[in-house]
Amino acid sequence: MKKTLRIIMMSAAGLLMGNCSSTEAEVKIEPDTGTISVADPFIYKGTRASGDITSVSIIDHEFKVWGYTDAGSPVFAGQTFSWSGSAWTYSPSQKWSGNTISFGAIAPTEDGCIAQDDVLYDSASKCFTIYKIPAVQEISNAENGLNGVDYLVAEALENRTEQDGDLQFSFHHILTKLRLFARYHTTKQLSEVKITNLELSLPTGSSTYTQINSVPSTQDQWSPTTFDTQFVPMLDSGENLVLATDFLQLEKEFFIAPIKQVDLKMNLSYTCYATDGSVDKTETLTDIEVQGITAYNQGQIINLYITIMHGELGNINFRPEVSAWYNEEIED
């Protein structure tokens, strides 16, 4: 509520003459509103991979906020928020000033992550366009593994006032995550099965993300700059993967910009050893079609299970499992 200060101005002449005349003037004082502040963000669940950002690890990153009043005036235009050790801070601070404001946010935005020049925010639709998103980023569960950039877009906070309290953004993972698991299955006694080469055909180039609604969803649009693919090694140079009869997860994982149509292929070389150490079988397969994966969808995790079949069982079996990223449980 605006306060009115009534100032009684006494006429000096009136005082001298004994007449107590007065004039009233109104001075309007703007409301003493609070500073816009941010609570701890919520990140829809991630996995153990070093590249994932979670509600815990978000403090290691920065995020940017856009905010516009219902009259269309900017309050934030890519304002950086960072963790101070006890709170999320930014400068210069902004006050509510009695306004109704809608907000959007993206993460991570520190150096080497999402650049502000690659981001367009539409205050009317409360949606983002993000350019130059890499088609594929390698991440790793290995010690000191590669992180990649886990692109996050928050649900819009619409028509907020000071009475709504601190802003709490809920971020969605907008990329696809691909993880690989391998094992062998046999009807014979073997001492060892070893993969000596494993490659997947993955997309190249970059992509543009266009948000359609104020909440990120699979309705959002992705526009690749190229539809080319190239074979990417799943093992480091000179590395051999010794399999077991239970699935082992490969250290390499990938963030992939979503694509509606996928023709995934694999190159694979492996060797099976008999119990006396001699080579029982060695095989190199090229351009194997990976069945069951026809698209990379936004916000999904694809677990690809590869089984090398030995003996009378055939060659290779693929079993992809697809789940929503935000339903993935975080392992301790």
Side-chain angles (χ1 to χ4, degrees):
M1 177 183 297
K2 292 187 177 181
K3 299 177 182 177
T4 300
L5 177 64
R6 295 184 180 275
I7 302 176
I8 307 298
M9 302 179 64
M10 304 300 294
S11 168
L15 287 173
L16 293 174
M17 296 177 64
N19 295 327
C20 189
S21 63
S22 66
T23 302
E24 292 187 353
E26 291 188 352
V27 179
K28 293 182 178 180
I29 301 177
E30 291 298 322
D32 185 17
T33 62
T35 299
I36 300 173
S37 55
V38 170
D40 290 337
F42 174 77
I43 315 295
Y44 284 102
K45 294 179 180 178
T47 61
R48 291 186 60 190
S50 57
D52 278 28
I53 299 176
T54 68
S55 296
V56 175
S57 67
I58 184 64
I59 63 174
D60 297 326
H61 301 275
E62 296 177 351
F63 60 89
K64 289 185 182 292
V65 175
W66 282 255
Y68 287 79
T69 67
D70 53 359
S73 299
V75 178
F76 295 131
Q79 176 64 59
T80 296
F81 282 72
S82 58
W83 181 250
S84 68
S86 59
W88 289 97
T89 61
Y90 66 100
S91 180
S93 62
Q94 298 288 344
K95 291 184 177 294
W96 286 96
S97 301
N99 288 309
T100 298
I101 308 172
S102 295
F103 301 89
I106 58 171
T109 58
E110 62 269 20
D111 289 345
C113 296
I114 307 175
Q116 186 161 339
D117 288 345
D118 296 333
V119 178
L120 178 66
Y121 179 73
D122 181 64
S123 60
S125 64
K126 304 171 184 64
C127 292
F128 287 96
T129 301
I130 306 176
Y131 303 94
K132 300 180 183 178
I133 299 177
V136 172
Q137 300 176 80
E138 181 184 329
I139 57 179
S140 175
N141 282 310
E143 186 176 356
N144 300 320
L146 300 172
N147 286 333
V149 179
D150 182 7
Y151 282 69
L152 304 176
V153 175
E155 300 174 5
L157 301 178
E158 302 187 58
N159 302 320
R160 297 303 173 100
T161 65
E162 184 177 1
Q163 287 68 38
D164 293 317
D166 292 347
L167 306 177
Q168 184 179 38
F169 292 102
S170 296
F171 285 95
H172 291 249
H173 304 272
I174 63 169
L175 300 178
T176 304
K177 186 176 205 177
L178 177 63
R179 306 190 296 191
L180 285 83
F181 302 78
R183 68 165 185 167
Y184 75 89
H185 187 54
T186 181
T187 57
K188 301 172 68 174
Q189 291 294 319
L190 296 174
S191 63
E192 190 176 67
V193 175
K194 184 185 298 183
I195 293 179
T196 56
N197 182 58
L198 179 60
E199 299 174 332
L200 281 182
S201 60
L202 297 178
T204 62
S206 62
S207 193
T208 296
Y209 165 77
T210 304
Q211 188 179 358
I212 300 301
N213 298 305
S214 59
V215 176
S217 72
T218 54
Q219 296 180 3
D220 297 339
Q221 295 179 354
W222 291 83
S223 304
T225 58
T226 176
F227 290 94
D228 291 338
T229 61
Q230 64 181 6
F231 278 102
V232 176
M234 301 295 106
L235 304 175
D236 292 331
S237 178
E239 178 186 4
N240 295 323
L241 179 63
V242 179
L243 300 181
T245 54
D246 294 325
F247 282 108
L248 299 174
Q249 183 177 353
L250 277 67
E251 289 182 345
K252 288 188 180 182
E253 303 181 5
F254 297 89
F255 290 144
I256 300 177
I259 299 175
K260 290 184 178 180
Q261 292 184 333
V262 172
D263 182 19
L264 184 59
K265 294 183 179 181
M266 176 181 291
N267 294 333
L268 174 67
S269 298
Y270 67 94
T271 301
C272 301
Y273 296 90
T275 54
D276 62 2
S278 62
V279 174
D280 181 84
K281 181 180 181 180
T282 185
E283 187 168 22
T284 295
L285 304 170
T286 58
D287 288 335
I288 314 167
E289 291 189 7
V290 179
Q291 303 295 323
I293 299 178
T294 58
Y296 299 130
N297 291 314
Q298 179 174 316
Q300 286 189 337
I301 293 177
I302 300 175
N303 292 332
L304 177 57
Y305 293 90
I306 306 165
T307 301
I308 293 178
M309 313 292 283
H310 184 265
E312 299 176 356
L313 301 177
N315 287 327
I316 307 295
N317 176 264
F318 299 110
R319 179 170 60 86
E321 290 184 355
V322 179
S323 62
W325 198 329
Y326 58 80
N327 288 333
E328 181 75 10
E329 293 295 333
I330 301 175
E331 300 178 24
D332 296 327

